[in-house]
Structure formats: structure tokens, C-alpha cells
Amino acid sequence: MLRVVQNVVEFHGTFASYSCLDCYKIFRSSDVKLDIIPPLCGECGGVLKPNCIFFGESINPMVLQRTKEMIASCKVMLIAGSSLVVAPSSLIPFEAKSNDAKVIEINTEPTGITSSITDIFIKEKAGAAINKIIDIINKI
Ligand SMILES: [Zn+2]
């Protein structure tokens, strides 16, 4: 039986919630009306922004720190469905490898790390490959 581990860092944030740029109140996405763009805060009328990182924005320092902590103890890094071209997330596999982690990459095409630090390359769509992995684990 697959053991569910919920220790997730949303490195690039999430579309599951929005924040008001003026009063900082947080709203669930399901509560945000998108009939007016940009969506507006029901409390103060300020602009609501999804809690994800847009190009040019910095990664939340607390998220970056937690990611570094997780990399330090990582034994196996699974990379699935990423072109690995945008830093700093593209640097994460290198940090894991420098800490002796094994790198497993699932992508439809090789990336810049495939021939250098990837230990196992699975040429397949991420969702299909992960479902197969889950099936195998469930049989163990
Ligand atoms: Zn507001």
C-alpha cells in the first residue's frame, strides 16, 4: 500500500488562493470572482493576485529555505515534466546531486541535465509514468 506523505513545498506558489495587494487578506480561488479582471478584494477593493510566482518575481525566502533543507536530506530526487530551464528551480537537481542524491528524470525529451547528472531517464509523459510508478509501489 502506498504511504501518502504530505511534505510539499509549492516552490512557485499556488493558484489555489489569491492575496489582496493592499490589505493582504487571503482568499480561496473558489471564492474569487473572475468576471472582472483583475479580480478585486471583497474587503477593501484592492487588486487580488494569485499566490503564484510570476516571471520576474522572487521565490518566497521561507520557501527557498525549506527547499534547501529538503535538498540536504534528499536521497532520491524525482523530476517530472520540467524543461529545467528557469532558475532557481533548474538548479535544484544540481544541489541534490552534490549531496549524493540519485536523480530520476521523467520527461518526454532529454533536458540539459539528462546526460550529465540524471541517473535514470524515463522518456514518457509525467502523469503516465508516475501512475505506473504508483502501481508498482502498490504491489510491493
Ligand atoms: Zn483587500
Side-chain angles (χ1 to χ4, degrees):
M1 178 57 87
L2 180 64
R3 189 176 128 231
V4 176
V5 177
Q6 293 186 346
N7 193 4
V8 176
V9 172
E10 293 175 315
F11 194 75
H12 290 118
T14 179
F15 281 96
S17 62
Y18 283 67
S19 290
C20 175
L21 298 178
D22 290 335
C23 73
Y24 306 108
K25 181 170 177 152
I26 297 172
F27 298 87
R28 290 182 307 198
S29 291
S30 59
D31 295 335
V32 174
K33 295 177 181 157
L34 296 175
D35 52 339
I36 298 172
I37 302 295
L40 301 176
C41 175
E43 298 291 322
C44 75
V47 171
L48 297 180
K49 177 192 173 295
N51 286 323
C52 62
I53 302 298
F54 289 169
F55 279 102
E57 292 183 319
S58 298
I59 302 296
N60 178 320
M62 291 172 50
V63 167
L64 203 52
Q65 179 59 36
R66 181 66 187 127
T67 300
K68 289 180 183 288
E69 291 167 4
M70 293 172 82
I71 291 170
S73 63
C74 175
K75 303 288 184 223
V76 176
M77 176 160 287
L78 180 64
I79 300 159
S82 174
S83 59
L84 296 167
V85 294
V86 179
S89 59
S90 61
L91 304 175
I92 291 172
F94 290 96
E95 290 185 46
K97 190 69 176 184
S98 71
N99 289 335
D100 297 325
K102 298 296 181 192
V103 176
I104 301 172
E105 182 183 356
I106 302 168
N107 270 315
T108 55
E109 299 296 329
T111 67
I113 70 166
T114 306
S115 62
S116 57
I117 65 166
T118 296
D119 295 291
I120 298 172
F121 180 73
I122 300 171
K123 184 177 172 62
E124 188 162 359
K125 288 186 175 182
I130 288 173
N131 282 334
K132 289 178 185 175
I133 292 168
I134 291 170
D135 286 345
I136 292 168
I137 291 171
N138 281 334
K139 292 175 184 170
I140 296 175

